[in-house]
Amino acid sequence: MPFQPLPDDQPSCTVECPACGHRGLVYEQQLGLLGPCPVCGAARPRYMGSVAPGSGRQVSFGRFRDLLDEPRLLSLIEEALGLCPLDAECFADAQGREVPLEDIHYALQGNAGWQGQVYNLHMNRAR
Ligand SMILES: [Zn+2]
């Protein structure tokens, strides 16, 4: 599935290739999902940090992960994506196959309504 940022989203995170040093800006949602380096193709770019505040309601993979002890997030994952929690950071689809956490984050960040709900959970937590 090609990456489709929402209209309010801006790329705000710097990544650097550990092999060739190429740096680029990516959307927060892409962290943890990045493919090979666009320049040398050899390695997986590494997250260097945010360089600009996200203008939309993006929640990075790390913050999403921190929210996994939030029952409302677990409900959202179950209801929105039809996945059931196996344990703390592990979810399975209806066929019982394990679904990577990165994919769950990606799916939630690709829908404005779900992205907003995750953002609200994060903001409640941050207070
Ligand atoms: Zn590279």
Side-chain angles (χ1 to χ4, degrees), residues 17 19-22 37 39-41:
C17 171
C20 74
H22 170 74
C37 170
V39 174
C40 71

Side-chain angles (χ1 to χ4, degrees), residues 12-112:
S12 63
C13 299
T14 315
V15 292
E16 183 181 271
C17 171
C20 74
H22 170 74
R23 285 192 172 205
L25 266 183
V26 299
Y27 291 87
E28 257 184 275
Q29 298 95 306
Q30 291 178 285
L31 296 176
L33 297 164
L34 296 168
C37 170
V39 174
C40 71
R44 199 180 164 91
R46 196 167 48 200
Y47 176 48
M48 302 301 287
S50 289
V51 294
S55 66
R57 291 149 73 83
Q58 305 170 88
V59 172
S60 71
F61 182 67
R63 291 192 217 134
F64 166 75
R65 195 170 194 168
D66 287 344
L67 285 170
L68 281 173
D69 58 351
E70 169 58 62
R72 283 171 294 175
L73 178 60
L74 300 183
S75 305
L76 174 65
I77 292 170
E78 280 188 73
E79 286 158 24
L81 306 176
L83 304 175
C84 32
L86 296 177
D87 60 46
E89 294 196 354
C90 206
F91 293 83
D93 65 14
Q95 283 76 46
R97 286 180 303 232
E98 201 174 307
V99 179
L101 211 50
E102 286 87 351
D103 290 358
I104 296 172
H105 173 245
Y106 182 96
L108 292 177
Q109 290 295 306
N111 172 290

